[in-house]
Amino acid sequence: MAKISVLGSGAWGTALAMLLSDNGHEVLLWSPFAEHTEELRRTRKSSALGGLELPAGMQFTSDMKKAGERQDAIVLATASVYTRGVARELRPYVKTGQLLVCVAKGIEEKSLLFQTDEVQEEIPDAVVACLSGPSHAEEVARRLPTTCVAGAADSAVAEQVQELFMNRVFRVYTSTDVKGIELGGAVKNVIALAAGIADGLGYGDNTKAALITRGIAETARLGVKIGAHWETFAGLTGIGDLIVTCASMHSRNRRAGILIGRGKPVEEAMREVGQVVEGVYSAKAALALAEREQVEMPIVDVVNRVLFSELPAAEAVRMLMERDPIAEWNYL
């Protein structure tokens, strides 16, 4: 049994805390909001997960010192836009060699760093890993069969994360391709916005399939350019995560895209979804990274234009369809 803190009491952090508690670990769930912590203690139910009852042994805190000290592992599960700030607040309480597991998905807009890079920059003495894959919080919390990938530069660290999380309904694979895992997790949210926009416009399955397959193609192009492995994008954290995010109404990115496709302004769509829409925050960073690496990402490009340059959604689709004819793969 391990002592584990989960930082972030939203749907994903709470679902993972439930999973870890099921595995027999001593789990402490941290929220930055004292009133939310008190609500969790009092009701032992998660409003973020539709009122699901929380395991009896799970504890709660808003004290970062308590969450950070003397833990075997710490899971960073806040939205990606808050990762650096939370890591900076955590830093004074982290011991050398502390295992930190990043489970948010995104690229920092200013630095173009992935989540593990941000955390490592803020806490250089920690051992940083990630956990990613096609895993809606609502289904993990209901103990529905799910598969993910634990990623770390050192395979032994990835195996340590695998051992903490894996059980009969949550299967975990390992990988040392951290860049590929994190790029796939970040860009899939942008592609899911595009898929939602297409749904909002009333397009069908053909359009969705085109966005998924061409979306993974442009993500893989960028991934290989930054040193990731092509095979990663054919796996759970590539095409797997992209499929589930583009197809499910659990996906806040797809839901926001549907509203945008129906003509709602971006800010209004985000308010209506009621949760952080990660793809909106990752879109600019993904495009900037592609431009830095001189990689063409047409879907990411038009999503940025729809979000930030008032390009009509239907016009964005026309632009994609009327691009110059090319071969599907360069080797052809």
mmCIF file with all atom_site columns, all heavy atoms in Angstrom, residues 62-75:
data_model
loop_
_atom_site.group_PDB
_atom_site.id
_atom_site.type_symbol
_atom_site.label_atom_id
_atom_site.label_alt_id
_atom_site.label_comp_id
_atom_site.label_asym_id
_atom_site.label_entity_id
_atom_site.label_seq_id
_atom_site.pdbx_PDB_ins_code
_atom_site.Cartn_x
_atom_site.Cartn_y
_atom_site.Cartn_z
_atom_site.occupancy
_atom_site.B_iso_or_equiv
_atom_site.pdbx_formal_charge
_atom_site.auth_seq_id
_atom_site.auth_comp_id
_atom_site.auth_asym_id
_atom_site.auth_atom_id
_atom_site.pdbx_PDB_model_num
ATOM 1   N N   . SER A 1 62 ? -7.265 20.858 1.841   1.00 0.00 ? 62 SER A N   1
ATOM 2   C CA  . SER A 1 62 ? -6.935 22.031 1.035   1.00 0.00 ? 62 SER A CA  1
ATOM 3   C C   . SER A 1 62 ? -5.555 22.558 1.418   1.00 0.00 ? 62 SER A C   1
ATOM 4   O O   . SER A 1 62 ? -5.166 23.642 0.984   1.00 0.00 ? 62 SER A O   1
ATOM 5   C CB  . SER A 1 62 ? -7.990 23.133 1.239   1.00 0.00 ? 62 SER A CB  1
ATOM 6   O OG  . SER A 1 62 ? -9.228 22.740 0.695   1.00 0.00 ? 62 SER A OG  1
ATOM 7   N N   . ASP A 1 63 ? -4.846 21.809 2.216   1.00 0.00 ? 63 ASP A N   1
ATOM 8   C CA  . ASP A 1 63 ? -3.515 22.179 2.710   1.00 0.00 ? 63 ASP A CA  1
ATOM 9   C C   . ASP A 1 63 ? -2.452 21.550 1.805   1.00 0.00 ? 63 ASP A C   1
ATOM 10  O O   . ASP A 1 63 ? -2.253 20.340 1.826   1.00 0.00 ? 63 ASP A O   1
ATOM 11  C CB  . ASP A 1 63 ? -3.362 21.686 4.150   1.00 0.00 ? 63 ASP A CB  1
ATOM 12  C CG  . ASP A 1 63 ? -2.051 22.110 4.788   1.00 0.00 ? 63 ASP A CG  1
ATOM 13  O OD1 . ASP A 1 63 ? -1.115 22.512 4.053   1.00 0.00 ? 63 ASP A OD1 1
ATOM 14  O OD2 . ASP A 1 63 ? -1.957 22.030 6.031   1.00 0.00 ? 63 ASP A OD2 1
ATOM 15  N N   . MET A 1 64 ? -1.766 22.373 1.009   1.00 0.00 ? 64 MET A N   1
ATOM 16  C CA  . MET A 1 64 ? -0.760 21.842 0.086   1.00 0.00 ? 64 MET A CA  1
ATOM 17  C C   . MET A 1 64 ? 0.399  21.184 0.823   1.00 0.00 ? 64 MET A C   1
ATOM 18  O O   . MET A 1 64 ? 0.946  20.184 0.345   1.00 0.00 ? 64 MET A O   1
ATOM 19  C CB  . MET A 1 64 ? -0.240 22.959 -0.823  1.00 0.00 ? 64 MET A CB  1
ATOM 20  C CG  . MET A 1 64 ? 0.779  22.497 -1.856  1.00 0.00 ? 64 MET A CG  1
ATOM 21  S SD  . MET A 1 64 ? 0.098  21.283 -3.030  1.00 0.00 ? 64 MET A SD  1
ATOM 22  C CE  . MET A 1 64 ? -0.643 22.386 -4.248  1.00 0.00 ? 64 MET A CE  1
ATOM 23  N N   . LYS A 1 65 ? 0.768  21.712 1.961   1.00 0.00 ? 65 LYS A N   1
ATOM 24  C CA  . LYS A 1 65 ? 1.859  21.093 2.730   1.00 0.00 ? 65 LYS A CA  1
ATOM 25  C C   . LYS A 1 65 ? 1.486  19.670 3.117   1.00 0.00 ? 65 LYS A C   1
ATOM 26  O O   . LYS A 1 65 ? 2.290  18.737 2.968   1.00 0.00 ? 65 LYS A O   1
ATOM 27  C CB  . LYS A 1 65 ? 2.160  21.917 3.981   1.00 0.00 ? 65 LYS A CB  1
ATOM 28  C CG  . LYS A 1 65 ? 3.311  21.348 4.805   1.00 0.00 ? 65 LYS A CG  1
ATOM 29  C CD  . LYS A 1 65 ? 3.609  22.220 6.023   1.00 0.00 ? 65 LYS A CD  1
ATOM 30  C CE  . LYS A 1 65 ? 4.768  21.627 6.832   1.00 0.00 ? 65 LYS A CE  1
ATOM 31  N NZ  . LYS A 1 65 ? 5.061  22.445 8.040   1.00 0.00 ? 65 LYS A NZ  1
ATOM 32  N N   . LYS A 1 66 ? 0.274  19.489 3.591   1.00 0.00 ? 66 LYS A N   1
ATOM 33  C CA  . LYS A 1 66 ? -0.181 18.148 3.975   1.00 0.00 ? 66 LYS A CA  1
ATOM 34  C C   . LYS A 1 66 ? -0.220 17.222 2.770   1.00 0.00 ? 66 LYS A C   1
ATOM 35  O O   . LYS A 1 66 ? 0.144  16.039 2.857   1.00 0.00 ? 66 LYS A O   1
ATOM 36  C CB  . LYS A 1 66 ? -1.563 18.241 4.619   1.00 0.00 ? 66 LYS A CB  1
ATOM 37  C CG  . LYS A 1 66 ? -2.086 16.919 5.153   1.00 0.00 ? 66 LYS A CG  1
ATOM 38  C CD  . LYS A 1 66 ? -3.429 17.108 5.847   1.00 0.00 ? 66 LYS A CD  1
ATOM 39  C CE  . LYS A 1 66 ? -3.955 15.772 6.374   1.00 0.00 ? 66 LYS A CE  1
ATOM 40  N NZ  . LYS A 1 66 ? -5.282 15.945 7.033   1.00 0.00 ? 66 LYS A NZ  1
ATOM 41  N N   . ALA A 1 67 ? -0.646 17.750 1.626   1.00 0.00 ? 67 ALA A N   1
ATOM 42  C CA  . ALA A 1 67 ? -0.732 16.937 0.413   1.00 0.00 ? 67 ALA A CA  1
ATOM 43  C C   . ALA A 1 67 ? 0.643  16.601 -0.151  1.00 0.00 ? 67 ALA A C   1
ATOM 44  O O   . ALA A 1 67 ? 0.822  15.562 -0.794  1.00 0.00 ? 67 ALA A O   1
ATOM 45  C CB  . ALA A 1 67 ? -1.555 17.663 -0.643  1.00 0.00 ? 67 ALA A CB  1
ATOM 46  N N   . GLY A 1 68 ? 1.617  17.469 0.083   1.00 0.00 ? 68 GLY A N   1
ATOM 47  C CA  . GLY A 1 68 ? 2.923  17.303 -0.549  1.00 0.00 ? 68 GLY A CA  1
ATOM 48  C C   . GLY A 1 68 ? 3.944  16.533 0.251   1.00 0.00 ? 68 GLY A C   1
ATOM 49  O O   . GLY A 1 68 ? 4.865  15.940 -0.315  1.00 0.00 ? 68 GLY A O   1
ATOM 50  N N   . GLU A 1 69 ? 3.813  16.531 1.559   1.00 0.00 ? 69 GLU A N   1
ATOM 51  C CA  . GLU A 1 69 ? 4.842  15.920 2.396   1.00 0.00 ? 69 GLU A CA  1
ATOM 52  C C   . GLU A 1 69 ? 4.598  14.438 2.635   1.00 0.00 ? 69 GLU A C   1
ATOM 53  O O   . GLU A 1 69 ? 3.464  13.988 2.767   1.00 0.00 ? 69 GLU A O   1
ATOM 54  C CB  . GLU A 1 69 ? 4.912  16.643 3.745   1.00 0.00 ? 69 GLU A CB  1
ATOM 55  C CG  . GLU A 1 69 ? 5.545  18.024 3.654   1.00 0.00 ? 69 GLU A CG  1
ATOM 56  C CD  . GLU A 1 69 ? 5.743  18.670 5.022   1.00 0.00 ? 69 GLU A CD  1
ATOM 57  O OE1 . GLU A 1 69 ? 5.035  18.281 5.980   1.00 0.00 ? 69 GLU A OE1 1
ATOM 58  O OE2 . GLU A 1 69 ? 6.592  19.555 5.117   1.00 0.00 ? 69 GLU A OE2 1
ATOM 59  N N   . ARG A 1 70 ? 5.702  13.693 2.674   1.00 0.00 ? 70 ARG A N   1
ATOM 60  C CA  . ARG A 1 70 ? 5.699  12.288 3.089   1.00 0.00 ? 70 ARG A CA  1
ATOM 61  C C   . ARG A 1 70 ? 4.744  11.418 2.279   1.00 0.00 ? 70 ARG A C   1
ATOM 62  O O   . ARG A 1 70 ? 4.067  10.546 2.809   1.00 0.00 ? 70 ARG A O   1
ATOM 63  C CB  . ARG A 1 70 ? 5.406  12.171 4.590   1.00 0.00 ? 70 ARG A CB  1
ATOM 64  C CG  . ARG A 1 70 ? 6.452  12.809 5.470   1.00 0.00 ? 70 ARG A CG  1
ATOM 65  C CD  . ARG A 1 70 ? 6.176  12.561 6.944   1.00 0.00 ? 70 ARG A CD  1
ATOM 66  N NE  . ARG A 1 70 ? 4.908  13.137 7.362   1.00 0.00 ? 70 ARG A NE  1
ATOM 67  C CZ  . ARG A 1 70 ? 4.738  14.425 7.669   1.00 0.00 ? 70 ARG A CZ  1
ATOM 68  N NH1 . ARG A 1 70 ? 5.765  15.262 7.606   1.00 0.00 ? 70 ARG A NH1 1
ATOM 69  N NH2 . ARG A 1 70 ? 3.561  14.878 8.045   1.00 0.00 ? 70 ARG A NH2 1
ATOM 70  N N   . GLN A 1 71 ? 4.693  11.648 0.963   1.00 0.00 ? 71 GLN A N   1
ATOM 71  C CA  . GLN A 1 71 ? 3.873  10.829 0.084   1.00 0.00 ? 71 GLN A CA  1
ATOM 72  C C   . GLN A 1 71 ? 4.770  9.943  -0.786  1.00 0.00 ? 71 GLN A C   1
ATOM 73  O O   . GLN A 1 71 ? 5.868  10.340 -1.165  1.00 0.00 ? 71 GLN A O   1
ATOM 74  C CB  . GLN A 1 71 ? 2.998  11.699 -0.819  1.00 0.00 ? 71 GLN A CB  1
ATOM 75  C CG  . GLN A 1 71 ? 2.044  12.615 -0.076  1.00 0.00 ? 71 GLN A CG  1
ATOM 76  C CD  . GLN A 1 71 ? 1.038  11.856 0.777   1.00 0.00 ? 71 GLN A CD  1
ATOM 77  O OE1 . GLN A 1 71 ? 0.423  10.904 0.319   1.00 0.00 ? 71 GLN A OE1 1
ATOM 78  N NE2 . GLN A 1 71 ? 0.873  12.278 2.023   1.00 0.00 ? 71 GLN A NE2 1
ATOM 79  N N   . ASP A 1 72 ? 4.290  8.757  -1.122  1.00 0.00 ? 72 ASP A N   1
ATOM 80  C CA  . ASP A 1 72 ? 5.043  7.887  -2.027  1.00 0.00 ? 72 ASP A CA  1
ATOM 81  C C   . ASP A 1 72 ? 4.901  8.350  -3.472  1.00 0.00 ? 72 ASP A C   1
ATOM 82  O O   . ASP A 1 72 ? 5.805  8.154  -4.280  1.00 0.00 ? 72 ASP A O   1
ATOM 83  C CB  . ASP A 1 72 ? 4.542  6.444  -1.892  1.00 0.00 ? 72 ASP A CB  1
ATOM 84  C CG  . ASP A 1 72 ? 4.781  5.900  -0.499  1.00 0.00 ? 72 ASP A CG  1
ATOM 85  O OD1 . ASP A 1 72 ? 5.944  5.927  -0.050  1.00 0.00 ? 72 ASP A OD1 1
ATOM 86  O OD2 . ASP A 1 72 ? 3.814  5.458  0.142   1.00 0.00 ? 72 ASP A OD2 1
ATOM 87  N N   . ALA A 1 73 ? 3.755  8.943  -3.787  1.00 0.00 ? 73 ALA A N   1
ATOM 88  C CA  . ALA A 1 73 ? 3.524  9.469  -5.136  1.00 0.00 ? 73 ALA A CA  1
ATOM 89  C C   . ALA A 1 73 ? 2.521  10.612 -5.040  1.00 0.00 ? 73 ALA A C   1
ATOM 90  O O   . ALA A 1 73 ? 1.667  10.634 -4.149  1.00 0.00 ? 73 ALA A O   1
ATOM 91  C CB  . ALA A 1 73 ? 2.992  8.381  -6.067  1.00 0.00 ? 73 ALA A CB  1
ATOM 92  N N   . ILE A 1 74 ? 2.642  11.551 -5.965  1.00 0.00 ? 74 ILE A N   1
ATOM 93  C CA  . ILE A 1 74 ? 1.713  12.676 -6.041  1.00 0.00 ? 74 ILE A CA  1
ATOM 94  C C   . ILE A 1 74 ? 1.216  12.757 -7.479  1.00 0.00 ? 74 ILE A C   1
ATOM 95  O O   . ILE A 1 74 ? 2.008  12.793 -8.428  1.00 0.00 ? 74 ILE A O   1
ATOM 96  C CB  . ILE A 1 74 ? 2.383  13.998 -5.623  1.00 0.00 ? 74 ILE A CB  1
ATOM 97  C CG1 . ILE A 1 74 ? 2.879  13.906 -4.184  1.00 0.00 ? 74 ILE A CG1 1
ATOM 98  C CG2 . ILE A 1 74 ? 1.409  15.167 -5.789  1.00 0.00 ? 74 ILE A CG2 1
ATOM 99  C CD1 . ILE A 1 74 ? 3.701  15.114 -3.727  1.00 0.00 ? 74 ILE A CD1 1
ATOM 100 N N   . VAL A 1 75 ? -0.099 12.781 -7.644  1.00 0.00 ? 75 VAL A N   1
ATOM 101 C CA  . VAL A 1 75 ? -0.721 12.854 -8.965  1.00 0.00 ? 75 VAL A CA  1
ATOM 102 C C   . VAL A 1 75 ? -1.199 14.281 -9.199  1.00 0.00 ? 75 VAL A C   1
ATOM 103 O O   . VAL A 1 75 ? -1.969 14.818 -8.397  1.00 0.00 ? 75 VAL A O   1
ATOM 104 C CB  . VAL A 1 75 ? -1.908 11.880 -9.065  1.00 0.00 ? 75 VAL A CB  1
ATOM 105 C CG1 . VAL A 1 75 ? -2.570 11.973 -10.435 1.00 0.00 ? 75 VAL A CG1 1
ATOM 106 C CG2 . VAL A 1 75 ? -1.452 10.445 -8.778  1.00 0.00 ? 75 VAL A CG2 1
#
